[in-house]
Amino acid sequence: MEHLRYPNETAEYRAARNALLDDEIALRAHIEAVAAKRRALPLGGEVPEDYVFERIGKNAAPEKVRMSELFGPHDTLILYSFMYGPERELPCPGCTHLLDGLDGAARHIGQRAALYIIAKSSIARLTAWAHERGWDHLPLVSTAGNSYDADYFGDTSKFPKGLRAQHRVPDGENWDETIFNVFKKNGGAIRHFWGSEMSFAPTEPNQHHRAGDQVDPLWGLLDMTPEGRGDFFPKVNYD
């Protein structure tokens, strides 16, 4: 292809940029190949129960809602486990910045699949936080004490022994975790389809797990810069 030329760039820059472009094109192809493999996964296990969550209803009062009802008109449901349990004074800053970016996308996601943000705090607390944060489009639900996060690794309580050691989870302690899980309606049953298990894979030195990077605009923007990500990690608030 005929490449672009920016004002006053050197031949050395253009040669290096063209080589990088080849790598970027190859990466694009690989990302799509991985996405195709994901779409081709066989359906996972049937959900063990129709979990009962809590959300704010149309009359602005809390109401119980079953997992099967969260699908709405869709056959696909995306659930994101948000690290904001009742023991936390503030939610996880990594989760929070991700949801800051997803709030605008949520109105579009709803055209193709159902999306809900799951956390262990009460629905009143979650709704108050969403209002403070300016999240106008993200639907939040409370686990309301059900076992969803335990069963689908939104917390550490069912981590196998090796994973507990890798994540330095002390015996007798547990905490909430971040993970996307995707579910599919199939013949009247709800089946698990995919989870962002890279959240729990061993990381490379000086990297976080990067399991949600493809839906996270912050990291994508920083990766475009000369400084890159560095050791930056977002905060809930910047004073």
Side-chain angles (χ1 to χ4, degrees):
M1 63 175 285
E2 183 176 352
H3 293 293
L4 303 174
R5 297 289 188 276
Y6 294 106
N8 302 315
E9 70 177 26
T10 64
E12 178 186 22
Y13 174 88
R14 180 45 46 192
R17 180 65 187 95
N18 288 355
L20 175 60
L21 181 58
D22 289 339
D23 289 340
E24 290 170 340
I25 292 169
L27 176 61
R28 179 179 64 187
H30 187 64
I31 289 172
E32 178 50 36
V34 170
K37 286 184 177 181
R38 184 182 300 116
R39 293 192 296 269
L41 282 171
L43 286 174
E46 185 172 345
V47 170
E49 63 179 282
D50 197 1
Y51 300 99
V52 178
F53 299 98
E54 193 169 64
R55 67 181 175 187
I56 295 297
K58 292 181 179 179
N59 61 354
E63 66 176 15
K64 301 296 185 182
V65 58
R66 292 192 175 274
M67 184 179 189
S68 56
E69 297 175 284
L70 296 181
F71 283 81
H74 302 290
D75 290 330
T76 299
L77 171 65
I78 305 168
L79 297 183
Y80 175 70
S81 291
F82 175 31
M83 297 169 66
Y84 190 22
E87 76 286 353
R88 290 178 178 267
E89 181 179 353
L90 289 172
C92 163
C95 295
T96 299
H97 95 269
L98 173 63
L99 296 179
D100 285 341
L102 283 183
D103 181 61
R107 70 182 81 183
H108 306 291
I109 295 168
Q111 302 302 307
R112 296 274 292 176
L115 168 70
Y116 281 87
I117 312 305
I118 306 289
K120 290 186 176 183
S121 284
S122 69
I123 191 59
R125 190 179 192 219
L126 297 178
T127 302
W129 178 254
H131 178 74
E132 179 179 337
R133 204 70 190 177
W135 295 340
D136 295 326
H137 306 291
L138 284 174
L140 282 82
V141 296
S142 169
T143 61
N146 69 32
S147 64
Y148 169 80
D149 271 334
D151 294 340
Y152 288 95
F153 305 110
D155 69 31
T156 61
S157 62
K158 291 189 177 181
F159 274 19
K161 185 176 180 179
L163 191 55
R164 291 181 69 88
Q166 177 183 303
H167 277 253
R168 300 183 177 89
V169 184
D171 291 341
E173 290 187 31
N174 285 294
W175 52 71
D176 45 11
E177 281 285 353
T178 173
I179 188 171
F180 284 92
N181 279 294
V182 181
F183 300 88
K184 186 78 173 175
K185 277 187 175 179
N186 181 259
I190 301 173
R191 305 286 291 271
H192 187 252
F193 172 70
W194 176 86
S196 54
E197 296 177 26
M198 199 163 68
S199 299
F200 310 126
T203 58
E204 295 295 321
N206 302 315
Q207 288 185 7
H208 61 71
H209 55 73
R210 304 195 176 191
D213 279 18
Q214 287 195 58
V215 296
D216 192 323
L218 171 64
W219 301 127
L221 286 168
L222 290 179
D223 281 347
M224 296 179 187
T225 67
E227 299 81 11
R229 306 181 188 200
D231 59 359
F232 173 77
F233 197 79
K235 297 179 181 179
V236 172
N237 296 302
Y238 300 96
D239 297 326

